[in-house]
Amino acid sequence: MKKRDVSVFNRDIIIEALLDSFRKLNPLELWRNPVIFLVEVASLIITIEFFLELSGVKKGLAWFSGWTAFWLWLTVIFSNFAESLSEIRGKARAESLKSYKTTIMAKKLESPDPNAPFVEVPSTELKKGDFVLVQEGELISGDGEIVVGAALVNEAAVTGESAPVLREAGSDRSAVLGGTKVVAGNIVVRITANPGETFLDKMISMIEGAKRRKTLNEIALEVLLVSLTVVFLLVAFNARAISEYLVAVSNRGEPMSLAVLASLFVSLAPTTIAALLPAIGIAGMDRLFRRNVIALSGRAIEAAGDANVLLLDKTGTITLGNRMASEFIPVGNHSFEDCVWTAMIASIADETPEGKSIMELAKKTLGVRSDALPRNVKVIPFTPETKMSGVEVDGHSYRKGAFSAVRDYIQKLGGEVPHQVEVVVAKIAMSGGTPLVVVKDKEVIGVVALKDVLKQGIKARLARLRSMGIKSIMITGDNPLTAAAIAKEAGVDDFVAEAKPEDKLKLVKELQAQGYVVAMTGDGTNDAPALAQADVAVAMNAGTQAAREAANIIDLDSDPSKLLDIVEVGKSMLITRGTLTTFSIANDIAKYFVIVPASVAPIYPDLNKLNILHLENPYIAILSAVIFNALVIPALTPLALKGAFYKPISPGRLFLYNLLVYGLGGIIAPFVFIKLIYHLIELFVR
């Protein structure tokens, strides 16, 4: 999928964001950010005062009021710019998806029978429950479930990946999306979404960050910011009355002007974090989208950042998903070659990854070419009832399957399974492998060991999660022995074996009752109940409709291991908010030593002791603080959009790190830059 360049420094996006910043000056829109709204009100008041002073109607320093008003307006515009930039980047990504919303002529069937008559109708007229026939080379006309057939589907319109994927009826990979293309095969699809309600529509809506709902932590932080703002607003009002009293008592100086009071309020109020807070949340969703993950709400990302338990499926998340043949073990008096040959013949018609791996290892072991294998074979497919597969050739039966299935099969034929087979099977299972018993006629020839291959780097990533204080729990349908071995090799903290849908749901509820924030992945209908219960539910795009509807995050690449990335983005978003809040409050502490002595010292000289920067001209000092207060917002905007640097360390060390870097840095930076701005202004004034 071709995506528009949405980098922070993209020229077109910056221009569009600047124009939108001026549109956002509308008070009816800006009031949603109370802190910046009050800055706009102060800007308007000082602008009026400037014109009154300029015209001589009111006595005062017009140059000071004018420049103060100018930088206060810039403070508001820079705040709007940060939010606009994050919103426009999200909308730019949404535009790339809108190009795939086309009207497709659909072959609507009267029934799910692919041979039934059909009529061609526009895709916009399809409704939930309709059946459509999609043939090779055609676009799928709407979101749905395959009810008949199988096909290779190119999902580049959604995921950006050009490699086709297999979708088939009756499996957890039966869901298809409108706008994707059938590369091979013919299928019948039951439509599961009405026009305007498709997954693509939902994605576009969610990506357009302007519609993002605020999270509970954001709301709590906004309440804190508004409370601080009210406090400093009262301070500014009282400062005027106090200054008038001191002037009357001491007969020195003049009462604080409105420009000075506005500067005092704006510099001390938490304007930096108030300006950047909206951008942080939207940027979190944007960073996930860059990883082909759609968050259906900002709360989902925030919950991911707070998650302290991860439920990970074994297959596809911890392991590669395809078990590979690793060893052939003969039993009884049978030779190694007999065992390998029997396993190879039994796997001739097995197109599963496991069957192919047996064939590859057997051919390599015996040095056999494909053209040397028997051709006229009768295929015995795998069924849920027999739990075995194989072939019949030259009057002999070759089978392979689970130990219990093979035992029942041989006993029905009047044969016996040697005790040695059970010992070998148990040993393989205890080592984390999966045993397949191979049979010729009614005699066990040997056992094939299949091994789950861990994903590269998964152990290190789980260790990183542990260092964050996050507990990992592997969920698998494997037997306890196999599950224990994989859990030990991967380094997960705990595991649940032979898990059924109700077990998954029960586990999520139990963990939540203990106070944990639970995240999990899933792609099947059997995962839907647990996904709906989990705090962070990541569904695979290739999974079933039920799983996607139960989730609050969708992985377009259907890579379950992305749950780890989602957690890291969530952590980064929370840390970004925390670091910028720390920096903003630390800034206010530093600006206090500039604004207060400059504002009050002419009336009350004793407070000049607080003037640690030794700024002689109080008006230039105040203006320097206002300019710094405005410039720090665009300076920190890239950090808000990109996210603060995040390391998986304990909360205590993280708090200390933020306090030293952003707290101490937030105090030092204003002193340095306000002093520099002060001297630059002095050059122009002279």
Side-chain angles (χ1 to χ4, degrees), residues 557-569:
D557 291 333
S558 299
D559 177 5
S561 65
K562 278 193 184 176
L563 179 57
L564 308 181
D565 294 324
I566 293 166
V567 168
E568 290 190 352
V569 169

Side-chain angles (χ1 to χ4, degrees), residues 140 168 236 289 319 398 429 513 561:
I140 298 173
E168 57 185 333
F289 184 72
T319 65
Y398 296 84
S561 65

Side-chain angles (χ1 to χ4, degrees), residues 619-639:
Y619 293 103
I620 296 179
I622 293 171
L623 185 58
S624 299
V626 172
I627 292 173
F628 173 81
N629 192 72
L631 292 179
V632 77
I633 295 173
L636 292 176
T637 295
L639 177 63

Side-chain angles (χ1 to χ4, degrees), residues 3-184:
K3 296 179 182 178
R4 175 183 171 186
D5 178 15
V6 289
S7 61
V8 176
F9 301 106
N10 177 273
R11 180 174 175 272
D12 293 338
I13 287 182
I14 287 178
I15 292 173
E16 188 177 351
L18 282 173
L19 293 175
D20 192 55
S21 300
F22 286 93
R23 287 193 289 267
K24 285 180 178 290
L25 291 175
N26 182 353
L28 296 177
E29 184 172 348
L30 198 62
W31 72 269
R32 292 177 299 171
N33 191 335
V35 179
I36 304 303
F37 173 73
L38 288 175
V39 176
E40 183 179 47
V41 172
S43 305
L44 183 61
I45 292 173
I46 305 308
T47 301
I48 295 172
E49 183 172 76
F50 163 67
F51 284 111
L52 291 175
E53 291 174 349
L54 193 65
S55 62
V57 174
K58 185 176 181 181
K59 185 180 178 182
L61 297 175
W63 71 268
F64 175 71
S65 298
W67 280 110
T68 300
F70 173 78
W71 283 101
L72 290 183
W73 280 115
L74 280 185
T75 302
V76 180
I77 291 170
F78 288 156
S79 170
N80 292 344
F81 177 76
E83 184 174 7
S84 296
L85 190 60
S86 57
E87 289 178 359
I88 290 168
R89 292 173 77 204
K91 291 174 182 177
R93 297 186 190 280
E95 289 300 321
S96 65
L97 293 177
K98 288 180 181 178
S99 63
Y100 294 105
K101 284 179 59 61
T102 57
T103 300
I104 303 166
M105 294 306 294
K107 296 175 180 176
K108 182 179 176 182
L109 297 166
E110 295 179 357
S111 70
D113 182 2
N115 297 315
F118 65 80
V119 292
E120 290 198 359
V121 299
S123 58
T124 52
E125 295 182 8
L126 293 175
K127 297 179 181 179
K128 184 185 286 189
D130 288 343
F131 295 100
V132 294
L133 173 66
V134 187
Q135 296 176 308
E136 187 172 313
E138 295 179 348
L139 293 174
I140 298 173
S141 51
D143 291 2
E145 299 266 6
I146 299 176
V147 293
V148 177
L152 283 175
V153 181
N154 186 332
E155 297 183 337
V158 177
T159 67
E161 299 296 330
S162 58
V165 291
L166 179 65
R167 298 286 178 260
E168 57 185 333
S171 72
D172 282 347
R173 304 283 173 170
S174 62
V176 290
L177 299 174
T180 56
K181 187 175 183 178
V182 172
V183 176

Side-chain angles (χ1 to χ4, degrees), residues 339-359:
C339 177
V340 177
W341 183 263
T342 303
M344 182 169 56
I345 299 300
S347 304
I348 285 178
D350 188 349
E351 293 298 320
T352 65
E354 292 85 355
K356 290 180 179 179
S357 74
I358 293 173
M359 289 293 293

Side-chain angles (χ1 to χ4, degrees), residues 485-642:
I486 293 293
K488 182 178 180 181
E489 186 179 359
V492 295
D493 298 308
D494 202 354
F495 69 91
V496 176
E498 298 178 340
K500 298 184 290 292
E502 54 269 28
D503 298 327
K504 297 177 183 180
L505 177 59
K506 182 181 178 183
L507 177 61
V508 173
K509 288 182 176 180
E510 288 176 351
L511 290 169
Q512 289 174 329
Q514 295 170 27
Y516 290 105
V517 177
V518 181
M520 77 167 289
T521 62
D523 61 358
T525 302
N526 62 341
D527 294 319
L531 285 171
Q533 181 68 34
D535 301 288
V536 183
V538 184
M540 303 299 102
N541 179 47
T544 62
Q545 183 77 10
R548 293 205 304 265
E549 289 181 352
N552 50 23
I553 294 178
I554 308 292
D555 174 21
L556 301 181
D557 291 333
S558 299
D559 177 5
S561 65
K562 278 193 184 176
L563 179 57
L564 308 181
D565 294 324
I566 293 166
V567 168
E568 290 190 352
V569 169
K571 291 279 186 188
S572 176
M573 189 178 83
L574 293 177
I575 289 168
T576 302
R577 192 182 299 156
T579 54
L580 290 179
T581 301
T582 303
F583 189 85
S584 177
I585 294 174
N587 263 226
D588 293 341
I589 295 173
K591 285 180 286 187
Y592 175 87
F593 288 93
V594 175
I595 291 288
V596 172
S599 304
V600 184
I603 308 170
Y604 198 69
D606 287 348
L607 283 180
N608 206 43
K609 295 175 182 178
L610 297 176
N611 186 9
I612 60 179
L613 290 181
H614 305 293
L615 306 179
E616 297 178 1
N617 189 315
Y619 293 103
I620 296 179
I622 293 171
L623 185 58
S624 299
V626 172
I627 292 173
F628 173 81
N629 192 72
L631 292 179
V632 77
I633 295 173
L636 292 176
T637 295
L639 177 63
L641 297 177
K642 184 180 179 182

